[in-house]
Structure formats: structure tokens, C-alpha cells
Amino acid sequence: MTNLREQVGPYFGEFGGRFVPESLIAALDELDSTYQAAKLDPSFQHELAELHRTYTGRPSIITEAKRFAEHAGPVRIFLKREDLNHTGSHKINNVLGQALLAKRMDKTRIIAETGAGQHGVASATAAALFGLECVVYMGEVDTQRQALNVARMELLGATVVPVTTGSRTLKDAINEALRDWVANVDNTHYLLGTVAGPHPFPTMVRDFHSVIGTEARKQMLEEFGFLPTALAACVGGGSNAIGLFHAFLDDADVELYGFEAAGDGMDTNRHAATLNFGRMGVLHGAKSYMLQDEDGQTMESHSISAGLDYPGVGPEHAWLKDLGRAKYWGISDAEAMDALRLLSRTEGIIPAIETAHALAGALKLGKTLEPGSSILVNLSGRGDKDMETAAKYFGLLDKKS
Amino acid sequence: MSATSNVLKANKSSGKGSLIGYFPAGFPTLDESVDAAIAMCKNGVDVLELGVPYSDPVMDGLVIQQATESALEHGFKLPQVFEAVKRISAAVDTPILVMTYWNPVLSYGVERFATDLKEAGGAGLITPDLIPDEAKEWLEVSDKLQLDRVFLTAPTSSKERIQNACDLSRGFVYAVSTMGITGARDSVDNLARQVVAGVRGASSEQNTAVGIGISTAEQVNDVNSYADGAIVGSAFVKAYASGGVEALTAKVIEVSAGLQK
Ligand SMILES: Cc1ncc(COP(=O)(O)O)c(C=O)c1O
């Protein structure tokens, strides 16, 4: 097999590229060349690493989930604790990197899209830290189901714009952000929050998140003396998953599993399982798998998790799927919510609903593995933002009122 | 030879300017959009830009977004664009360029789409989110079928990219007047002159038409004083939305009045 880790875009096999209006090409070129220069610049790498050490709280720890693992067959389960990062998820890894690039490009304004609100919160945080203006586009539906994060962003000084076009979720928030960017490229950086979009975003965002897998690989070897049998991560756009996977891509013995949102179930048409049910197409600037009807119109996705409720997926995942290097399974709302409660009650860790899909996946996967196997789960975020959804789901609010 | 180019060059050499008019297929229904487009062509539009409704129109402002969303809600299906082209081209001689985001074409199959378009009497495609760098299959197919292909240039395009868009476009090069999305604006950006000058510098043969933000007769005349055509979209859609074919026809007559037809 070729060296999978060396891929730097713009294409991953036949996926990726830049399917955007000509008006954005100059900005993408500028971003690409700024990023290429920063990558080779030790002072940039040092600044980012110092921010992660003194602000993000890196390295994030690994926790063995022994009581949780009792429910997953004969395997050990390890959690890479991205939930302990400042702002509560992996999203900050990418945001700090891109905010530093925005400064290098002398941009004074950043815009971002957000689904669950975690990327919006991380962007608003970086904007506050660096003194940048920040506008966050969020589907109207998501502003309702993640109201707490809207308040956080506003407290941090960002402007949250509810998007009322199309399906009023993450995909439409990205459209609106792209429209803003076309009109304001001279002073604005579009801080895209996942490994989708036109080149260089999929590669650059992956690189900023690859710290997850790089740390985890070293921690597994140093603290436990072995590499895990399998990795597990949830997949929305795919950033936390590729961040964990990347350092392990060329460890042929380590299996890679991504878990997509199956919404009401894999046998229904209400899901967000793009890699399982999608078809190759172009969405938001890249060629990849996407949920589309026979006319190429994007279909609405469905998931209890706002952060996974996206009908597209990053091009590198499409490529890894076609190569057979990674496998992608669907996890329903119900399975995810069960896993969320189980982790809370067995380990005292309340995960984000997005992350709960990876945990449910690990429970399923564990039962198929040999005794003595191990699964490293990317615990991509904490569940505080989801308390209202979870309380409603489990009927906790009813009991009290 | 390109029918679109022929029209633009003929108008130019006889001292008239050209008006390129956009209307979405299927808005509000297929039949009504065909009637609207025919009325436009009969009343002053020299080249028709027929839009394909798409779920994620990132280049479009609210007016066109709402129109195309409504077309989709009324059940627009992709093959209807060929039916619309067929019916319009049976009624008028105006060259018809289909303006489409790339995914519907990719999904239908590039060669199949081009073949069906040609058969229906279409002149070619305008592709707002397909840059020449990603257009290998479309370049081959459009050469084979001799279809027009209109790429865009923007105020931020480099000299090399302008050259490339000029070399690879057939019919005309779409000069994006401003950094932004479709929608009427009070004044047409001075950047438009720069973009057109860039195209002229790259080629003495290639036509270029200015689009985005143009909505008045004054703007259409002004643009035609330095370019080979003015593209009007949102203003026509807005007129139709407020008063049907009648208001649309009046708007077409109004903005083309200065072109001395
Ligand atoms: C905690 C958490 N995990 C995962 C995701 C999904 O995004 P991605 O697939 O890019 O990691 C999100 C997105 O909002 C999130 O907040």
C-alpha cells in the first residue's frame, strides 16, 4: 500500500478539488500559500503548540473506560479525552490554527458555520483571544436545539446569524458563510469547521486535528505498551475522525471505524449516513459522497445530533472508504442516546450526542472483536450543550415539573 | 461557430449593445417559465440565460434563491430543463445558455446532459461553480458537441486565470462585476471595467459580458459602452414575482430601451 499519510490534496483519489465560484479562488490560493509557508515555519508551529499547551490544555489525556467496556464484549476501551479541551471539544484544535493564519493574512474578521455550536463557540473564543470580529452562521433549527451554545457565542462577543434558507441546518449555514465570504474576502477569513469544503480546507483542517492521533498513538505506546486494535470516531464532516485516524493510517494492523448518524435507523430514509447511502457528487466546493436525489439536489439529513446532521462528508473519508482502509457504520439516535447514558452512569463522563455515536459504535464493534482486543474512542466533546435534548429524550424534565 | 458569439458580435458591429437575460426554469411552474422566457426573448433579450433550480445556490442572493426554491417546491425535475429549452427554441431564435451549478450536471452525467441539451436546441452552459481547472470532462464534451461554455472571471482573478478563462470560454466570458452574490445594486461596481479590461488584454477576439448587480437601463447602457453585453437576472425575477409576464415584459422593454433595436 502507498503511504496514506502523505496525501496533501487537492485530490484524494478522485475526491476533493475546488468546485467554487471563481471569485473565491484568489482567497483559497492566498490561504493555501499562507498555510504552506506556516507549515514550514518553526515559529508558527511553536506558537500553535504553546497555545495548545497553555490555553487548550493539551495534551489531552487517555482514560480507560473499564466499567463501560463491560458492555462491549471482551475488549478494553480507551477514551481520548478531547472533551477536556478548552471550549469542550476537539474543534479548538483547528480553530486556533486557522485563527493564527487569519492573523498572518491580516484579516480582521472571521466567519464560521456551526451545527452543534461547538465550532461556533470555539471560533468565538479564538476571536475574543485574538481581537477579531466574529460572525457565526447557524441554521435556525440548530439555534433552537443548541440554545445554550448560542448564548455562549454571544457572551464571547460573536454575532450569531440564524439561517432561514433551505433546510435551516448546517448545510445552509455553510452556504450563507460562503456568500458572506465572496462579498468580504478582503478583510474576512472563512474559518471552516470540518474537513469538507474546497482545497486547502480538507487537508489543512486535518493537519490541525492530527495532533489528536499523534498524541494518542504515543500515549498508547508509552502508557500501555501497545497500539489499539481499532479506532472509533463519529463522522459528521469528519474532522475528529480524521484527526484521530491520520497518525495511524499506515499502521496496517490498526482498524479504522467511523460512525455516521443513522437517525431513525439504517432502514429508514431519515438519516445522515452519507458514506453508507450517499452518491459521489459536488457539495460545498469538494467532490465527495453526498446525500442527493436522482436530480443531484442535496437531500436533507436527519439526526438527533446537530453536529452530525450534514448530508456531505470530507473527501479524504470518501477516499478511505473506497480504498477499504476505513469502515463506516451507521448508529441510530436511539443507540447513541443509550450509549450517552451508559457512559454517564458507568464512567461519570457525559459525552456530546455526536460523540455518543462513536461510543455506541464501540459497543457494537467490541462484540465482533477477538478477546483481548482494544478500541480507542475519540471522545470528541462533552455533553453540557446537549442537556436539554438529553433531558427531554430521557424524560428527566417531566419528572421534576 | 458559436450562436451566442454571433449574436453578440453582430449587435456590436451594428452599434447596438446586447442584453443577456436570466430566468429560472420551472419558476413558478414549467409552463409559466417557458412563457416568461419567450416573452423576454421577444421583447429585447438577445441571449437567454435559463437557470436550473438547485438546492444549494451559493452564488445567488435572496431574490433568485426564493425563486429557485419555489420552483423546487413546485416539483421541478431536472429533465424539465431540456423540455423548456425545446419549447423556447421552437418559438424564438434567441441562443439559450443554461446556467447551472455543477452537481446536477455531474449527477445526470456530463455527456448525457450535454447531448440532451444539444438535442433540445440549447447553445451551451454557464457554470458558476465550475472553474476551468476542474472542467476536464466538460471541456472535452463541449468541444465534441460544439456547445458554448461560459466561464467566469472575477475582480480578484489573476492575469493567468483571466487568460485561461478567455482561452477556454466559447460564446463569451462572464465578467463578475463585483465581489458578491447575485442581486440588484444601486451602482455597478467600477471593478467591472477592470475585469473587462483584463479580458480585452488577454484576447482581442473573445466577447465578455458583465453580470451581477445590473438592474436598470442606465446600467445596461453604461456596461455596453465598454463590454459586449450586460447580464440582468434578479431584476427580471423580481418583476415577474411581483406582476407576472406583464411586469416582466415591461421590465425587459425598460432596461433594453437604450440599446436601439
Ligand atoms: C463534539 C463533536 N463531535 C463531533 C462533531 C462532528 O464534526 P466532525 O465530524 O467534523 O468531527 C461535532 C460537530 O459539531 C462536535 O461538536
Side-chain angles (χ1 to χ4, degrees), chain A residues 89-91 116 118 193-194 234-241 307-308 352 354-355 380-381 385:
Chain A
S89 82
H90 69 290
K91 298 283 182 189
Q118 288 304 99
T194 189
C234 65
V235 179
S239 67
N240 88 88
L308 303 184
E354 289 77 17
T355 312
S380 60
K385 70 182 175 63

Side-chain angles (χ1 to χ4, degrees), chain A residues 185-246:
Chain A
V185 277
D186 52 336
N187 72 346
T188 299
H189 173 60
Y190 178 17
L191 213 162
L192 188 75
T194 189
V195 287
H199 180 75
F201 285 108
T203 305
M204 179 182 70
V205 176
R206 174 202 71 195
D207 289 351
F208 286 141
H209 280 303
S210 65
V211 64
I212 302 170
T214 304
E215 281 177 11
R217 194 174 181 284
K218 188 158 164 265
Q219 287 165 320
M220 287 303 299
L221 289 172
E222 284 178 4
E223 294 174 34
F224 302 98
F226 56 86
L227 291 181
T229 314
L231 307 182
C234 65
V235 179
S239 67
N240 88 88
I242 207 75
L244 179 66
F245 292 176
H246 191 248

Side-chain angles (χ1 to χ4, degrees), chain B residues 43 80 89 94 100 108 146 159 184 186:
Chain B
N43 287 284
Q80 291 180 333
S89 61
T94 314
T100 179
Y108 196 83
Q146 280 301 296
K159 215 170 162 189
D186 289 343

Side-chain angles (χ1 to χ4, degrees), chain B residues 107-149:
Chain B
S107 163
Y108 196 83
V110 178
E111 177 143 24
R112 181 170 164 234
F113 193 99
T115 306
D116 288 359
L117 177 65
K118 180 90 183 175
E119 221 159 79
L125 293 182
I126 302 176
T127 53
D129 64 349
L130 184 73
I131 56 174
D133 325 37
E134 304 283 359
K136 189 165 173 288
E137 191 181 3
W138 169 231
L139 292 174
E140 288 166 10
V141 168
S142 52
D143 277 345
K144 193 167 107 187
L145 297 175
Q146 280 301 296
L147 285 166
D148 286 342
R149 54 179 183 237

Side-chain angles (χ1 to χ4, degrees), chain A residues 11 18 22 179 282 297-298, chain B residues 55-57 77 103 134 157:
Chain A
Y11 303 101
R18 298 192 298 181
E22 172 68 23
R179 292 184 186 114
V282 165
Q297 308 287 354
T298 310
Chain B
S55 53
D56 295 273
K77 300 299 292 172
N103 198 55
E134 304 283 359
S157 299

Side-chain angles (χ1 to χ4, degrees), chain A residues 69-75 329 342 360-370 375:
Chain A
E70 286 169 14
H71 300 262
V75 299
W329 293 1
L342 185 64
L363 293 175
K364 259 191 184 171
L365 176 63
K367 288 165 193 144
T368 72
L369 297 178
E370 297 287 317
I375 304 173

Side-chain angles (χ1 to χ4, degrees), chain A residues 65-307:
Chain A
K66 289 189 177 145
R67 282 179 21 84
F68 181 77
E70 286 169 14
H71 300 262
V75 299
R76 293 172 74 179
I77 292 185
F78 300 90
L79 309 175
K80 177 64 173 166
R81 298 292 304 279
E82 293 297 299
D83 61 319
L84 297 179
N85 294 340
H86 181 44
T87 70
S89 82
H90 69 290
K91 298 283 182 189
I92 191 86
N93 301 325
N94 164 48
V95 164
L96 290 177
Q98 284 197 50
L100 287 179
L101 293 178
K103 274 194 2 181
R104 286 195 158 209
M105 293 183 290
D106 291 324
K107 310 272 177 172
T108 56
R109 178 173 178 268
I110 57 172
I111 56 174
E113 83 295 341
T114 199
Q118 288 304 99
H119 175 60
V121 167
S123 299
T125 299
L129 181 65
F130 293 120
L132 300 167
E133 185 190 342
C134 179
V135 174
V136 180
Y137 291 95
M138 189 169 188
E140 195 181 40
V141 172
D142 295 333
T143 59
Q144 287 153 9
R145 58 180 159 178
Q146 309 276 238
L148 183 64
N149 269 345
V150 174
R152 288 170 81 194
M153 288 182 265
E154 285 175 346
L155 190 62
L156 288 161
T159 304
V160 179
V161 181
V163 174
T164 57
T165 51
S167 62
R168 302 170 188 224
T169 59
L170 183 54
K171 100 175 164 67
D172 308 284
I174 296 177
N175 291 339
E176 235 11 71
L178 286 168
R179 292 184 186 114
D180 179 320
W181 201 27
V182 172
N184 299 297
V185 277
D186 52 336
N187 72 346
T188 299
H189 173 60
Y190 178 17
L191 213 162
L192 188 75
T194 189
V195 287
H199 180 75
F201 285 108
T203 305
M204 179 182 70
V205 176
R206 174 202 71 195
D207 289 351
F208 286 141
H209 280 303
S210 65
V211 64
I212 302 170
T214 304
E215 281 177 11
R217 194 174 181 284
K218 188 158 164 265
Q219 287 165 320
M220 287 303 299
L221 289 172
E222 284 178 4
E223 294 174 34
F224 302 98
F226 56 86
L227 291 181
T229 314
L231 307 182
C234 65
V235 179
S239 67
N240 88 88
I242 207 75
L244 179 66
F245 292 176
H246 191 248
F248 297 87
L249 283 183
D250 295 313
D251 293 317
D253 293 341
V254 179
E255 295 175 40
L256 312 179
Y257 286 87
F259 296 97
E260 302 191 295
D264 288 355
M266 296 292 271
D267 51 354
T268 74
N269 55 16
R270 290 176 54 84
H271 58 74
T274 310
L275 287 161
N276 278 281
F277 297 120
R279 208 157 44 86
M280 200 230 270
V282 165
L283 177 65
H284 295 143
K287 195 180 272 186
S288 185
Y289 281 86
M290 56 177 288
L291 298 177
Q292 55 181 319
D293 70 10
E294 75 275 15
D295 284 350
Q297 308 287 354
T298 310
M299 296 196 321
E300 278 183 36
S301 54
H302 297 276
S303 169
I304 192 170
S305 147

